[in-house]
């Protein structure tokens, strides 16, 4: 059974700092998704990673996928307050299974 | 997303009553999903459908049933609502894009069981 684990679950950052969110999963898959969720809102798609070694970047966020290690990372560069949200990874192994989410708070 | 409509958006119901949530899509997608979201658990899959009348269980299906009589509608029924089913429910469809499959989520239904 596919299990997806994120860490950390809570992350308080200062503006301008860098940090990484990790997403580990338990069975083979080559499709991984990152989503952002603002409080009270739905999920917004950030990245779709479809193969080993895939790297995608959008603004201050960069996501990568290592299918051999069953690990994806979401790297935040020079954080700003607008990035405060909850971030989810999800792995597609016939069904889309989510990690617990990482609640990110960026403070001045 | 404009292609997925969930109804109702908010509902308060009493313990023991049946409740049906509706997910309506206009894009003719074959795959549809129901998730529940609770703090500390992320989104957990309840049931999904891979076509009209074709459904299967997810991680947390106990106490829930689904039906899909038309491509555009996927209904989630709580047969006898309990307080543990207080949650936010999201519907999703699987879409085929140029880069592979993607998933689009509805706006959610906030259900409170009192």
């Amino acid at each position: 059974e596919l299990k997806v684990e994120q860490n950390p679950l809570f992350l308080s950052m200062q503006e301008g700092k860098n940090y990484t969110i990790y997403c580990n999963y338990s069975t083979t898959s080559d499709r991984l998704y990152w989503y952002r969720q603002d409080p009270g809102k739905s999920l917004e798609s950030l990245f779709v990673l479809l193969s080993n070694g895939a790297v995608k970047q959008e603004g201050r966020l960069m996501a990568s996928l290592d299918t051999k290690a069953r690990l994806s990372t979401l790297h935040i560069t020079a954080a700003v307050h607008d990035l405060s949200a909850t971030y989810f990874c999800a792995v597609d192994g016939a069904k889309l299974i989510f990690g617990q989410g990482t609640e990110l708070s960026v403070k001045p | 997303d404009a292609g997925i409509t969930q109804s109702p958006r908010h509902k308060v119901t009493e313990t023991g009553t049946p409740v049906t949530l509706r997910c309506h899509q206009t894009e003719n997608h074959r795959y549809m999903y129901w998730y529940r979201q609770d703090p500390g658990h992320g989104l957990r899959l309840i049931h999904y459908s891979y076509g009209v009348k074709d459904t299967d269980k997810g991680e947390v299906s106990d106490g829930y049933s689904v039906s899909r009589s038309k491509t555009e509608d996927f209904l989630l029924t709580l047969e006898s609502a309990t307080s543990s089913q207080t949650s936010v429910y999201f519907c999703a469809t699987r879409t085929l894009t140029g880069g592979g499959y993607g998933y689009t989520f509805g706006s959610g239904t906030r259900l409170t069981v009192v």
Side-chain angles (χ1 to χ4, degrees):
Chain A
E1 181 185 340
L2 173 60
K3 293 201 181 297
V4 182
E5 292 195 353
Q6 283 181 240
N7 70 84
L9 301 185
F10 299 94
L11 180 53
S12 182
M13 298 177 63
Q14 282 197 307
E15 281 191 330
K17 299 292 188 183
N18 304 334
Y19 209 81
T20 300
I21 299 170
Y22 297 88
C23 176
N24 291 273
Y25 55 99
S26 61
T27 64
T28 301
S29 175
D30 56 3
R31 290 200 300 272
L32 189 139
Y33 305 81
W34 283 97
Y35 293 91
R36 169 182 171 142
Q37 186 182 39
D38 293 301
K41 303 293 187 183
S42 186
L43 279 77
E44 172 192 353
S45 179
L46 293 175
F47 300 108
V48 180
L49 303 170
L50 297 176
S51 61
N52 188 41
V55 177
K56 291 197 174 178
Q57 183 162 7
E58 180 73 33
R60 300 175 188 274
L61 300 178
M62 183 173 71
S64 65
L65 177 61
D66 182 344
T67 57
K68 292 185 173 61
R70 297 177 188 165
L71 171 69
S72 180
T73 60
L74 180 66
H75 187 72
I76 302 155
T77 301
V80 293
H81 178 70
D82 285 353
L83 290 179
S84 296
T86 299
Y87 293 85
F88 292 96
C89 65
V91 178
D92 198 347
K95 309 171 195 176
L96 189 66
I97 303 299
F98 281 80
Q100 309 96 309
T102 297
E103 187 176 330
L104 173 65
S105 174
V106 182
K107 302 184 186 304
Chain B
D1 183 274
I4 301 177
T5 304
Q6 289 187 234
S7 58
R9 292 295 312 278
H10 302 271
K11 186 170 182 67
V12 179
T13 193
E14 292 186 350
T15 298
T17 61
V19 177
T20 296
L21 309 183
R22 182 181 183 234
C23 179
H24 178 78
Q25 56 128 339
T26 59
E27 307 292 327
N28 203 37
H29 295 306
R30 180 179 168 198
Y31 282 79
M32 298 183 74
Y33 306 80
W34 276 108
Y35 288 88
R36 61 177 289 174
Q37 183 176 21
D38 305 289
H41 291 279
L43 278 78
R44 292 180 291 175
L45 182 64
I46 305 171
H47 282 280
Y48 67 102
S49 170
Y50 46 95
V52 173
K53 293 187 171 33
D54 292 323
T55 65
D56 204 352
K57 296 179 179 180
E59 307 166 85
V60 290
S61 59
D62 287 349
Y64 301 94
S65 63
V66 290
S67 66
R68 189 154 178 217
S69 58
K70 299 184 288 185
T71 298
E72 56 266 35
D73 288 323
F74 192 30
L75 304 181
L76 177 70
T77 297
L78 288 65
E79 291 139 11
S80 177
T82 68
S83 59
S84 64
Q85 293 176 310
T86 293
S87 187
V88 180
Y89 292 86
F90 285 99
C91 173
T93 62
R94 191 176 79 171
T95 61
L96 187 58
T97 66
Y101 291 115
Y103 292 82
T104 302
F105 288 81
S107 300
T109 294
R110 184 172 295 275
L111 177 68
T112 303
V113 183
V114 298

